[in-house]
Amino acid sequence: MDASDLEHRARTRSGCIPPELVSRLLELGHAEEVERQAGRGEWFCALEWARVLGGQDRQAEALEVLAPYLATGWWIAAAATAGLLEEWGRGEDAIALARAHMASARSYAETGGGLALASFALLLARNGLATEAFDLLQPHIDIWSLAKALVDVAQDAGRDEEAAELLTARIPAGHECDSPWCCRGLDPHLAIGLLATVRERQDRIEEAVALLSTRQSTALNGRDQLADLFARHNRIDELRAYTDTEPVGHAARHLAELLEERGDVDGAIAVYRQAGEASIHRGNVTVELARLLARHDRYDDAIEVMRALADTPGGAKDWIVDVLCTLYADQGRPQDALAWLDDLKARRGKEEWELFRIRLPLMAACGRVDEAVELTRAHPEGTTSYAAEHVARLLADAGRTEDAVIVLEQHAPAHAGTLAGCLLDLGRIKDALALLQHTDPPPPAVPATHLRLDEPPF
């Protein structure tokens, strides 16, 4: 085995048995095959088989399974093995193993340094060595992933104030970033967010609010840090006021979630209705409203708000239509969804694939699987590989797995994973594994750089 080859296959999920199919093999009772493949260089088989052995109190055998992967110097194998040791209550052994691999220049370079170092530091902190973890991370404060890890370990190390000073030094007076990726390294936008986290942890809430209020946007990865803070501290009036000025709808979602948790469903509905009128992402807010209504068995109301959105000019986007039709189906009304799609098609004079594909599970729910297959074949895009996957899913869900295999085989290897899953269900284990595995060498290794570590992990 070779570290770069293992890295390539694990990262791309190509030329190997992916985790979901390893789980399927075990579910179908093929533990011996998983064990055999673990000894043949299949990383995900080895990791899962080691977990199985550990759960049977056969830790020594589990470590033997992982030993050849560790011997390559691949950091992911070291981190995973350390994680298992920690799960087994062997924190000191986990640290010793990870420390030995961190000392390897090769493993450090393969991950660019940052991800491996953050993982190791968090392992230290979880096992009573937070001070060492802080010291390890401090010189690398300008790398986003390591700055976040430093904030995570600072409290246990009793060094929150020191972390705050390091972050404050990276927020120049008068500088304003117009996006989370404005600057290289730990830009002020991200430093402010991390500093606010520390201040909130110190119960210096007003300072945290003031810090976050200096940013043009406090949203990251679909969450809004300022709205989160208001919600955690039950500052409803401030959250409501923020909702009135925040144009995306993140704050409205936080407020609605908080009201729903308190049993004020009508209040949550009102928040979404008001926000939907002003949000620059009306569709997102309307979908959240519909899902709220559905959670409380108000499907008719949910369908009504989604239909109102879909019937507006330009509103019938595929993801909007998908939500609407799913609501119909969940209420046991797939035929009504099909009627609505028929009406939309008549108004447009055509039906693009993105909307046509939504028909297929609805037709299947009406017992019209064969008709759905024939209709797909007649569609202008019905012979494409992506159409084949939808047809195969229909057939497999109807218990016609062999027919699904025939469809997918015409487009192999485009859907190798889906086809392999069907073959496993039919008991054709060797065929499934042969489809997944290949011996093509990975592409040449790219010299490690720190560029990707200077950016937040979107």
Side-chain angles (χ1 to χ4, degrees), residues 362-371:
L362 297 170
M363 295 181 72
C366 296
R368 298 161 57 187
V369 173
D370 287 331
E371 184 182 348

Side-chain angles (χ1 to χ4, degrees), residues 103-128:
S104 166
R106 181 180 181 186
S107 66
Y108 188 85
E110 283 173 352
T111 61
L115 300 181
L117 190 58
S119 174
F120 179 54
L122 293 172
L123 173 65
L124 290 172
R126 289 194 301 269
N127 288 276

Side-chain angles (χ1 to χ4, degrees), residues 2 10 84 91 93 116 125 176 236 285 298 306 324 334 338 351-352:
D2 174 80
L84 287 177
D93 292 338
E176 290 188 5
I236 301 298
V285 176
R298 295 174 58 173
M306 289 306 302
L324 171 59
L338 288 168
E351 191 170 51
E352 301 87 348

